[in-house]
Amino acid sequence: MRPVTIKVGLGTCGISAGAKDVYDELERLLKTERSAILDYTSCNGMCFLEPIVEIYQPDKPVQVLTNVKKSDVPAILQGLKTDNFHSSETISEFSAVQKKLILGNCGLINPDRIEDYLERGGYEALRKIVKNNDPEDVIKIIKNSGLRGRGGAGFLTGVKWELAQKAKGKKKYVICNADEGDPGAFMNRAVLEGDPHRVIEGLIISGYAIGADRGYIYVRAEYPLAVQRIKNAILKAKDQHFLGENILGSKFSFELMIKEGAGAFVCGEETALMASIEGKRGMPKLRPPYPAQSGLWGCPTNINNVETLAAVPWIIRNGADEYAKLGKEKNRGTKVFSLAGKIKRSGLAEVELGTSLRKIIYEVGGGTISGEKVKAVQLGGPSGGCLPDRLLDTTVDYESLAATGAIMGSGGIIVMDNDTCIVDIARYFLNFTQQESCGKCTFCRIGTKRMLEILERITEGKSSIKELEKLKDLAEKITSASLCMLGKTAPNPVLTTLKYFEDEYLEHIQDKKCRAGVCKALIKFEIKADKCTGCTLCAKNCPVKAISGQRKQPHFIDQSLCTKCGVCADVCGFGAVEKK
């Protein structure tokens, strides 16, 4: 009989929520009790329920304990004796719509143990191709599957591989782009932390297909746990002869290196990424030539992102036809999205392409935290677009999203409710892209700076209709004339918010009003005399002493001193402080 096993989710999200403390406490107590085996896994996608502990008992369903604290550990061990646990129904709601291919092992296996990956079919795809298929066969399988790049552009992966395979060059390279830098995006990190061998296997197969004997994983140093687990996985893969000379007795040899990026957003762009690997400053180049013809050190190079490569072993094992059954025409397979912002169930959602945004946000994500209806959704990070509630029936596929002005991007979904100021959101994303501009081309470097200045004046109530027209004009020019796609897409948040929420811009400019109460320059706090009891709590907590009044008498706010921090409203127990 298999022993009882307790697994703790030790992904970055779980650790930040206290999972390592829970694990350490379990380890300490189990040294004496020895009632179970302790193990760890990574994030299973339910970040909103971390820390998560799973109990595996022989002949019984797995018990999933959520929001576990260190102080809960004694009761968990006691529960092993009484079989008294409480699993959450929320889990089935979160998982019902999902179809997990990429995340199939995440949260189930120990990412630092290659044996776990092998037990679930790991490296079978690699064994299969080096034994039975030539590179053209592999490319044909990927082409027939309909897999498109999950990094944002949606280019057909098989076609991309074919271009690199046919390109002339004595030396070729493959690269995994793991430079995930979008605010609110964490899909790639979760896959690398939870199932690193799947990505490595996909990258080795891509090398076999195009004729490369060396590959790189370009991952940002800001992902230390992902880096650690990839390094460990590469060593284990070498030990098992999945990497190195004459892999699995074949003539195919492949070496894999890790390049840790410094966190520059622009290095997500292919040519900037390759420059960084070469030891140069990460700046984009004009294309053509494309990487497939002249990439790393001038050699033919294929670049795919983490999620694209993670899909490859599943396709090889299960066949192109099985993969092509998922999704919709021209958009085959599944897509992983990170759910963030004001959503009830933040985490990772993997669904078939063609699923509606509404289904992802409400059925997987549970709607907004406040229970209010969704005001807007930002898709694709700072290069993406902001869509209103009325477009939530849009299906997530490359063409449908592009028709709205948004993009798939890498898969970040940020949910907003009525407490979010759309103009401030546009300012936030443009501030991000402006700071991350590499500065090489004038339209991106200077144009985004001028756009940001206008947005800042709008949020301060100091702009005009004329400047709004200038904002639109700048956005169009930057889109058409910037050097790389990061520059070309930088104005997207502004363009889509102007398209769907122009009335909020006009309110800021003409009425000097921020309906969400976010833009400080356009709000003020006042105390309602009929509700104020004179308890003095607001005055005692005001950091700038802007509130005065006698005990048991209505208090007043000196607007010339008030910094609009909102502390008075937070501490008032009588609803006497009003934000206007």
Side-chain angles (χ1 to χ4, degrees):
M1 181 178 290
R2 300 187 70 174
V4 175
T5 302
I6 301 175
K7 293 186 179 182
V8 182
L10 291 184
T12 293
C13 56
I15 293 171
S16 62
K20 186 62 168 63
D21 293 337
V22 173
Y23 181 89
D24 290 345
E25 185 67 358
L26 279 164
E27 187 176 47
R28 187 180 71 82
L29 294 180
L30 284 171
K31 281 181 180 175
T32 54
E33 292 199 14
R34 301 179 184 278
S35 54
I37 294 173
L38 181 60
D39 199 359
Y40 64 89
T41 180
S42 194
C43 174
N44 60 10
M46 297 185 289
C47 306
F48 65 106
L49 293 176
E50 295 283 3
I52 295 174
V53 172
E54 295 174 293
I55 313 290
Y56 291 76
Q57 297 172 289
D59 303 321
K60 292 180 180 178
V62 177
Q63 300 290 332
V64 183
L65 313 180
T66 60
N67 302 123
V68 177
K69 299 185 289 293
K70 179 182 175 181
S71 57
D72 297 330
V73 170
I76 292 172
L77 297 181
Q78 182 63 29
L80 292 177
K81 301 169 184 174
T82 60
D83 199 19
N84 182 22
F85 299 107
H86 299 284
S87 287
S88 172
E89 292 183 2
T90 307
I91 296 169
S92 58
E93 295 172 8
F94 183 76
S95 304
V97 180
Q98 299 199 51
K99 180 73 176 178
K100 292 193 175 183
L101 270 64
I102 307 301
L103 302 178
N105 290 338
C106 292
L108 290 177
I109 66 171
N110 183 324
D112 287 323
R113 208 162 43 220
I114 193 171
E115 292 79 9
D116 284 17
Y117 184 62
L118 295 174
E119 282 180 10
R120 294 180 64 83
Y123 290 107
E124 283 181 9
L126 180 61
R127 288 182 189 278
K128 184 178 178 180
I129 63 152
V130 297
K131 183 178 180 182
N132 302 319
N133 300 104
D134 59 30
E136 287 76 13
D137 292 336
V138 178
I139 290 172
K140 186 177 180 181
I141 293 170
I142 300 301
K143 286 176 74 175
N144 290 341
S145 73
L147 175 66
R148 297 172 68 170
R150 300 299 195 241
F155 195 79
L156 284 166
T157 303
V159 173
K160 196 171 184 179
W161 288 15
E162 189 174 48
L163 291 171
Q165 195 261 344
K166 289 183 176 177
K168 293 181 180 178
K170 292 182 180 178
K171 186 80 174 178
K172 296 183 181 180
Y173 295 96
V174 289
I175 298 172
C176 172
N177 184 350
D179 193 51
E180 183 177 57
D182 295 1
F186 44 91
M187 303 79 59
N188 293 344
R189 173 179 57 75
V191 174
L192 291 172
E193 289 179 0
D195 197 6
H197 285 287
R198 181 189 292 267
V199 183
I200 291 170
E201 187 178 8
L203 190 57
I204 298 171
I205 292 171
S206 74
Y208 179 81
I210 76 159
D213 63 0
R214 174 164 288 212
Y216 287 87
I217 297 179
Y218 188 91
V219 57
R220 50 183 47 222
E222 294 161 320
Y223 285 178
L225 185 58
V227 172
Q228 174 192 321
R229 287 182 176 166
I230 299 167
K231 285 181 177 176
N232 180 62
I234 289 175
L235 291 175
K236 297 288 177 63
K238 284 182 178 175
D239 289 344
Q240 298 273 346
H241 214 182
F242 298 123
L243 282 169
E245 296 289 327
N246 304 114
I247 291 173
L248 300 172
S250 70
K251 295 180 181 178
F252 173 53
S253 300
F254 189 81
E255 296 291 341
L256 184 54
M257 315 290 286
I258 295 175
K259 171 66 178 178
E260 295 183 48
F265 182 64
V266 73
C267 285
E269 199 275 344
E270 290 182 341
T271 58
L273 182 153
M274 289 187 293
S276 179
I277 291 177
E278 292 173 355
K280 303 171 185 171
R281 182 177 174 184
M283 299 180 87
K285 295 178 182 175
L286 277 173
R287 296 185 294 181
Y290 293 96
Q293 282 78 45
S294 179
L296 198 58
W297 289 294
C299 300
T301 303
N302 178 71
I303 304 177
N304 293 120
N305 87 329
V306 170
E307 191 177 340
T308 311
L309 292 168
V312 170
W314 193 97
I315 293 170
I316 300 293
R317 283 201 309 270
N318 296 278
D321 291 344
E322 287 301 308
Y323 189 79
K325 289 177 183 176
L326 303 170
K328 59 185 287 191
E329 188 178 7
K330 296 183 180 179
N331 287 269
R332 301 302 184 188
T334 61
K335 177 78 188 80
V336 182
F337 293 95
S338 58
L339 306 180
K342 295 180 177 178
I343 193 162
K344 189 175 180 182
R345 302 177 196 137
S346 59
L348 296 171
E350 183 176 0
V351 297
E352 291 187 49
L353 284 170
T355 305
S356 72
L357 276 170
R358 189 176 302 281
K359 186 168 274 192
I360 296 171
I361 292 169
Y362 282 99
E363 295 188 27
V364 180
T368 62
I369 298 171
S370 63
E372 297 177 5
K373 78 171 191 176
V374 172
K375 177 178 182 178
V377 179
Q378 174 74 16
L379 288 145
S383 301
C386 196
L387 304 183
D389 171 71
R390 67 178 186 274
L391 293 182
L392 290 189
D393 290 318
T394 303
T395 57
V396 285
D397 60 73
Y398 294 94
E399 288 72 26
S400 299
L401 290 177
T404 66
I407 61 172
M408 181 86 75
S410 58
I413 295 180
I414 298 177
V415 174
M416 297 166 244
D417 64 12
N418 286 328
D419 290 333
T420 305
C421 173
I422 292 297
V423 182
D424 186 62
I425 282 293
R427 182 204 58 77
Y428 169 81
F429 280 113
L430 199 72
N431 183 54
F432 177 86
T433 48
Q434 205 283 317
Q435 289 188 347
E436 293 291 336
S437 172
C438 76
K440 187 170 184 178
C441 73
T442 309
F443 284 91
C444 180
R445 183 180 73 248
I446 305 297
T448 55
K449 177 68 174 172
R450 296 288 90 84
M451 285 184 69
L452 178 60
E453 289 168 352
I454 293 173
L455 286 168
E456 287 174 343
R457 284 196 290 273
I458 293 175
T459 58
E460 293 167 358
K462 298 176 181 176
S463 190
S464 64
I465 296 297
K466 187 177 179 181
E467 276 207 322
L468 190 62
E469 295 304 317
K470 187 177 179 182
L471 183 68
K472 295 175 184 175
D473 184 55
L474 280 168
E476 291 167 0
K477 286 184 167 60
I478 294 167
T479 299
S480 63
S482 289
L483 174 65
C484 75
M485 286 307 295
L486 296 185
K488 290 177 183 295
T489 57
N492 276 354
V494 176
L495 288 170
T496 50
T497 51
L498 278 169
K499 181 178 181 180
Y500 299 115
F501 300 94
E502 188 170 13
D503 55 336
E504 288 202 34
Y505 281 86
L506 295 175
E507 283 178 2
H508 281 69
I509 294 168
Q510 296 175 327
D511 304 333
K512 312 300 179 191
K513 176 185 174 184
C514 173
R515 69 173 72 171
V518 171
C519 299
K520 278 190 174 182
L522 303 181
I523 62 172
K524 66 177 181 179
F525 289 89
E526 290 183 350
I527 295 176
K528 297 178 182 176
D530 58 333
K531 289 191 174 181
C532 180
T533 63
C535 72
T536 73
L537 196 58
C538 58
K540 289 177 180 175
N541 283 278
C542 178
V544 293
K545 307 301 179 190
I547 301 176
S548 60
Q550 298 295 318
R551 178 173 287 278
K552 296 185 179 180
Q553 295 294 320
H555 281 43
F556 305 93
I557 299 175
D558 184 341
Q559 299 297 333
S560 65
L561 297 176
C562 179
T563 60
K564 303 169 185 179
C565 65
V567 169
C568 51
D570 293 338
V571 300
C572 180
F574 305 97
V577 181
E578 185 179 28
K579 183 165 68 173
K580 292 185 174 180

